[in-house]
């Protein structure tokens, strides 16, 4: 797959088959992620991989409650109130693999670098016939001290980019994109 084709055809997938993603495939995705550029070549990323469906379902319920309790009336997330309250909504869309990209402490641009690694991972997954979706709802809950302890993430590391990976169930339609907003062109 050509890079440009991957960029234009990648979608955030929210429906997955039961087919598990094997270890070798996850390792290939991690290798692709680590090919991302990083500030001063610090390569500040670290990864947590969770493939236990029961654990992901338990965390989904905890995350929904955590986010729901903290919704403020003026929050842009308020429009998701009904979705979060639904017992049918699964934060991880029932994907079989969650990859959490964390930034080591003290990195010059750790969060940005981890986001670049995530983009590499998502494009590589797409080229391999896998679907991915960033899970922003999970980030605040995963950054709690208690969650980090449960996941063996050192307290000084920061969860930057949780992303699910799996085999898509069906097709995901394209979403219209806005034209680039150019603030200055001299």
């Amino acid at each position: 797959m050509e890079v440009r084709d991957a960029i234009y055809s990648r979608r955030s997938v929210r429906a997955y088959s039961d087919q598990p993603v094997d270890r070798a495939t996850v390792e290939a995705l991690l290798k692709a992620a680590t090919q991302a550029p990083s500030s001063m070549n610090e390569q500040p990323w670290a990864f947590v991989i969770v493939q236990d469906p029961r654990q992901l379902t338990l965390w989904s319920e905890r995350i929904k409650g955590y986010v729901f309790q903290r919704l403020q009336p003026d929050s842009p997330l308020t429009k998701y109130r009904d979705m979060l309250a639904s017992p049918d909504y699964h934060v991880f869309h029932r994907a079989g693999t969650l990859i959490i990209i964390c930034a080591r402490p003290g990195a010059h641009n750790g969060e940005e670098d981890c986001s670049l690694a995530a983009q590499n991972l998502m494009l590589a997954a797409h080229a391999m016939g896998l679907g991915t979706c960033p899970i922003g709802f999970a980030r605040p809950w995963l950054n709690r001290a208690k969650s980090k302890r449960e996941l063996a993430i050192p307290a000084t590391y920061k969860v930057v980019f949780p992303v699910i990976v799996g085999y898509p169930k069906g097709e995901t339609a394209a979403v219209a994109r806005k034209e680039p907003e150019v603030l200055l062109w001299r």
Side-chain angles (χ1 to χ4, degrees), residues 4 16 26 60 64 112 127-128 150 183:
R4 186 178 169 99
Y16 294 89
V26 172
S60 174
K64 284 171 25 176
E112 293 85 348
M128 296 167 76
E150 189 175 341
L183 298 177

Side-chain angles (χ1 to χ4, degrees), residues 57-76:
T57 297
L58 176 65
W59 288 346
S60 174
E61 291 306 309
R62 290 180 183 170
I63 291 165
K64 284 171 25 176
Y66 183 82
V67 173
F68 193 82
Q69 288 175 350
R70 286 159 182 77
L71 279 180
Q72 298 297 317
D74 60 342
S75 168

Side-chain angles (χ1 to χ4, degrees), residues 22-52:
D22 63 72
R23 184 180 187 98
T25 300
V26 172
E27 288 172 347
L29 293 174
L30 299 179
K31 290 281 190 187
T34 63
Q35 296 305 305
S38 66
S39 181
M40 298 182 288
N41 198 31
E42 289 183 319
Q43 303 178 44
W45 34 72
F47 305 90
V48 174
I49 295 89
V50 180
Q51 293 185 300
D52 180 346

Side-chain angles (χ1 to χ4, degrees), residues 13-185:
V13 175
R14 293 177 178 87
Y16 294 89
S17 75
D18 292 336
Q19 182 181 353
V21 179
D22 63 72
R23 184 180 187 98
T25 300
V26 172
E27 288 172 347
L29 293 174
L30 299 179
K31 290 281 190 187
T34 63
Q35 296 305 305
S38 66
S39 181
M40 298 182 288
N41 198 31
E42 289 183 319
Q43 303 178 44
W45 34 72
F47 305 90
V48 174
I49 295 89
V50 180
Q51 293 185 300
D52 180 346
R54 288 183 303 241
Q55 189 69 65
L56 293 173
T57 297
L58 176 65
W59 288 346
S60 174
E61 291 306 309
R62 290 180 183 170
I63 291 165
K64 284 171 25 176
Y66 183 82
V67 173
F68 193 82
Q69 288 175 350
R70 286 159 182 77
L71 279 180
Q72 298 297 317
D74 60 342
S75 168
L77 298 180
T78 301
K79 65 183 178 183
Y80 299 110
R81 178 180 290 283
D82 291 342
M83 183 178 73
L84 288 165
S86 170
D88 295 329
Y89 176 67
H90 194 290
V91 170
F92 302 111
H93 304 287
R94 293 179 178 78
T97 301
L98 169 65
I99 298 176
I100 304 166
I101 304 175
C102 303
R104 284 194 306 273
H108 180 63
N109 287 313
E111 292 181 49
E112 293 85 348
D113 293 346
C114 286
S115 296
L116 291 169
Q119 181 71 3
N120 270 19
L121 186 149
M122 291 187 297
L123 289 171
H126 177 57
M128 296 167 76
L130 295 164
T132 59
C133 187
I135 307 296
F137 279 145
R139 188 176 35 228
W141 187 84
L142 290 167
N143 267 310
R144 298 175 327 135
K146 185 176 179 181
S147 301
K148 286 182 180 181
R149 283 192 302 273
E150 189 175 341
L151 290 163
I153 298 172
T156 56
Y157 282 53
K158 183 169 186 177
V159 171
V160 175
F161 207 101
V163 60
I164 53 173
V165 181
Y167 290 93
K169 184 190 298 183
E171 295 291 317
T172 301
V175 176
R177 296 293 180 190
K178 298 175 184 176
E179 288 297 315
E181 180 180 354
V182 179
L183 298 177
L184 176 67
W185 189 325

